[in-house]
Amino acid sequence: MSQIRDPIREGLTRGWQVLGGALGTVPEKVVCDVAIVGSGAGAGITAELLAKAGLKVVMIEEGPLKSSTDFHQKESEAYPQLYQESAARKTEDKAINILQGRCVGGSTTVNWTSSFRTPGPTLQFWQENFGLADYSVEALAPYFAQAEKRLNILPWLTPPNENNDLLRRGAAKLGIQAATISRNVKGCWNIGSCGLGCPTNAKQSMLVTTIPAALDLGAQLLTETRVESFELANGKVTALHCRSVMPNGAPALAGRAQSATKVVAKHYVLAGGAINSPGVLLRSGAPDPHGLLGARTFLHPVVMSSAVFAQKVEAWNGAPQTIYSDHFLATQAIDGPIGYKLEAPPLHPIIFASTVPGMGQSQQELLKTFPNNHTLLALLRDGFHSESRGGKVKLRGDGSAVLDYPLTGYVMDGARRALLSMMEIQFAAGARQVLPLHEMAQPYTSWVQARDALNALPMKPMLTKVVSAHVMGGCGLAGQEKLGVIRPDGVHWQLENLSIHDGSIFPTSIGANPQLSIYGTVNRLAQGLARRLTGLDVALA
């Protein structure tokens, strides 16, 4: 794909201020107006807006700077280069595998482009339970609209691939409504390798939109640089301390680069993502008078059902997620039994083989069906019930952050219902066999057989396969200090020059893929921050 421009390499040639790793030694001390920890959805939006306001901005990213030239559609390259813990980050008990980005652009560089505004029922719950009176559909709408225009978020008009159309057809036969997903793409080639980094720069991630815009305005980017902790005094952050790391996150080799860096700023924005952002604050000994830091960290726990069809599905080919169903959210009271959103994920060999159950001959037989395989996933909407309090970010002995996430009976009841729903849809779409991803399950050849078998299976962690690509909460927004870590304007309740602008600010899970929720909410917070720091009104363009 040599004919495709690489805007990152072009920017580096123009003289962008980017240091770290092979791009140059990071100095011992950096001074700026605003230091932004991270480079994902919240960091990118914030960096562009603050740079537009004329502030000297420095972004600090633990992962490497990779671009379209480096994206070869190979899982063996993408996972270790672009994901936290080589796409194998897990909860403390190893019961849930978590996909999170660890590169410039963060998870926006590797996500599947699904874009939903924060659902109205979620915002209403926040208003009623967390004192967020101004977090309404109407109040956020203009900020969502700006983000959607800036990132080309539009309904996907190309016909869905077979993988997604099976969800549409199966749901239609059962009278279940399904709809088209909006995507943040421009000139998409419909290749299907979004999760491995977009080789054509069609995905409008932070990597090719807000971060280049900020760098063109004079912002600085430090890559392969891990933020260890904040230095705190008298209710303020006085500095942050960083350390150089290798592209895979290991400590930098002696002599390869400056090992330690101190960044001094007037204001600090923490946007390292849920798990990492609470981790930085915990390592810093940040004030936490109400014991809320790292608590109420939410996933969308995901369960999956794998089906085999007579025809080729080729779930790796074409736009990855373009059809969804909210039927099992809309028909479920938000504070009742857990509801779930249905989507059809793409399949690639390593992710498929490492997710499906079994070993030896049984797994070999399943892997043979790969071209004809179709998988549905259910995003469980956690955080709205007294029995769904999510998890807690803690520190390991070495200071690294880990998420403790108990899978309660309440959540696992939802997992059982979601698996039943997905299997029924797959059989309605014409599946020859269906396998719910559970270690004790077998391939089933009829809906009645599958239903009866699943109802008899124990829904327990480690037996039921649970994954997630969405981490939220741990530094929650609230209108009162006793209810959250940060104020409604994004500023830390106890640290006056620290804002948090990422998915960790959500008081519950979103109930939908969260990237647009981060874009819209942080757009509002960052505009307010720019106004307070400079007196200027800036907006995404």
Side-chain angles (χ1 to χ4, degrees), residues 166-229:
L166 285 168
L167 168 56
R168 183 192 64 80
R169 300 198 308 260
K173 285 193 175 181
L174 297 174
I176 293 170
Q177 186 174 12
T180 301
I181 297 177
S182 292
R183 305 181 65 219
N184 60 315
V185 295
K186 183 185 293 184
C188 179
W189 289 30
N190 206 23
I191 294 171
S193 58
C194 303
L196 310 178
C198 180
T200 69
N201 298 306
K203 185 197 300 186
Q204 299 299 285
S205 67
M206 301 298 93
L207 178 66
V208 299
T209 56
T210 59
I211 291 174
L215 292 170
D216 281 337
L217 290 167
Q220 187 173 10
L221 172 63
L222 308 181
T223 69
E224 298 175 38
T225 303
R226 176 182 294 144
V227 173
E228 298 286 357
S229 62

Side-chain angles (χ1 to χ4, degrees), residues 95-97 99 112 301-307 321 342-347 351-352 354-357 373-380 414-416 418-423 426 434-439 441 454 459 463-468:
I96 308 174
N97 194 76
L99 295 179
W112 298 335
V302 166
V303 292
M304 296 160 289
S305 178
S306 174
Q321 284 185 168
L342 299 184
E343 296 173 342
L347 298 181
I351 285 290
F352 181 71
S354 61
T355 302
V356 294
N373 200 280
H374 168 262
T375 296
L376 286 178
L377 63 77
L379 304 171
L380 302 182
R416 187 188 302 277
L419 287 169
L420 289 167
S421 300
M422 292 186 289
M423 291 192 302
Q426 288 171 320
V434 172
L435 174 65
L437 298 195
H438 186 291
E439 290 295 335
L454 188 81
M459 300 302 291
L463 290 178
T464 307
K465 186 70 176 183
V466 182
V467 302
S468 186

Side-chain angles (χ1 to χ4, degrees), residues 274-276 278-279 282 293-295 297 391-395 401-404 473-474:
I275 299 181
N276 288 348
L282 288 167
L293 177 57
T297 299
K392 184 174 180 62
V393 175
K394 305 190 296 189
L395 297 180
V402 63
L403 176 60
D404 176 20

Side-chain angles (χ1 to χ4, degrees), residues 67 70 89 92 98 132 145 187 237 271 276 346 472 533:
S67 61
D70 305 302
R89 171 170 266 189
E92 188 175 40
I98 302 170
L132 296 171
V237 178
N276 288 348
M472 300 147 284
L533 294 178

Side-chain angles (χ1 to χ4, degrees), residues 147-478:
E148 288 161 351
K149 182 178 179 181
R150 175 69 177 92
L151 303 173
N152 213 58
I153 295 172
L154 295 165
W156 181 241
L157 300 179
T158 301
N161 62 5
E162 179 69 359
N163 193 47
N164 281 270
D165 204 50
L166 285 168
L167 168 56
R168 183 192 64 80
R169 300 198 308 260
K173 285 193 175 181
L174 297 174
I176 293 170
Q177 186 174 12
T180 301
I181 297 177
S182 292
R183 305 181 65 219
N184 60 315
V185 295
K186 183 185 293 184
C188 179
W189 289 30
N190 206 23
I191 294 171
S193 58
C194 303
L196 310 178
C198 180
T200 69
N201 298 306
K203 185 197 300 186
Q204 299 299 285
S205 67
M206 301 298 93
L207 178 66
V208 299
T209 56
T210 59
I211 291 174
L215 292 170
D216 281 337
L217 290 167
Q220 187 173 10
L221 172 63
L222 308 181
T223 69
E224 298 175 38
T225 303
R226 176 182 294 144
V227 173
E228 298 286 357
S229 62
F230 291 115
E231 191 176 295
L232 308 175
N234 302 317
K236 297 182 72 173
V237 178
T238 55
L240 61 81
H241 296 278
C242 315
R243 187 167 298 278
S244 298
V245 295
M246 300 292 284
N248 65 358
L253 300 175
R256 175 177 178 268
Q258 176 67 40
S259 62
T261 298
K262 183 177 183 179
V263 180
V264 178
K266 298 172 185 175
H267 198 90
Y268 299 82
V269 176
L270 182 55
I275 299 181
N276 288 348
S277 285
V280 170
L281 291 172
L282 288 167
R283 288 195 297 271
S284 306
D288 182 25
H290 304 287
L292 299 172
L293 177 57
R296 290 190 63 83
T297 299
F298 292 100
L299 302 171
H300 289 135
V302 166
V303 292
M304 296 160 289
S305 178
S306 174
V308 178
F309 286 80
Q311 73 274 25
K312 292 286 182 67
V313 177
E314 296 182 346
W316 62 85
N317 188 26
Q321 284 185 168
T322 58
I323 300 293
Y324 75 101
S325 176
D326 275 352
H327 175 82
F328 299 99
L329 289 176
T331 56
Q332 194 67 60
I334 197 166
D335 57 353
I338 200 165
Y340 44 92
K341 185 185 205 79
L342 299 184
E343 296 173 342
L347 298 181
H348 296 280
I350 292 176
I351 285 290
F352 181 71
S354 61
T355 302
V356 294
M359 61 187 72
Q361 185 67 32
S362 64
Q363 191 179 59
Q364 182 189 32
E365 292 301 318
L366 188 58
L367 296 180
K368 287 179 181 178
T369 71
F370 182 60
N372 299 65
N373 200 280
H374 168 262
T375 296
L376 286 178
L377 63 77
L379 304 171
L380 302 182
R381 180 178 58 188
D382 208 358
F384 298 85
H385 189 276
S386 60
E387 295 179 35
S388 63
R389 304 185 64 82
K392 184 174 180 62
V393 175
K394 305 190 296 189
L395 297 180
R396 299 185 181 96
D398 64 358
S400 62
V402 63
L403 176 60
D404 176 20
Y405 205 92
L407 288 169
T408 63
Y410 172 84
V411 173
M412 298 312 286
D413 170 72
R416 187 188 302 277
R417 289 184 287 107
L419 287 169
L420 289 167
S421 300
M422 292 186 289
M423 291 192 302
E424 186 174 15
I425 287 171
Q426 288 171 320
F427 279 118
R432 285 186 165 183
Q433 71 174 45
V434 172
L435 174 65
L437 298 195
H438 186 291
E439 290 295 335
M440 295 174 65
Q442 301 292 327
Y444 308 115
T445 56
S446 75
W447 160 234
V448 172
Q449 180 194 30
R451 180 196 62 199
D452 292 347
L454 188 81
N455 279 327
L457 291 177
M459 300 302 291
K460 294 182 178 179
M462 309 301 287
L463 290 178
T464 307
K465 186 70 176 183
V466 182
V467 302
S468 186
H470 306 153
V471 194
M472 300 147 284
C475 299
L477 285 160

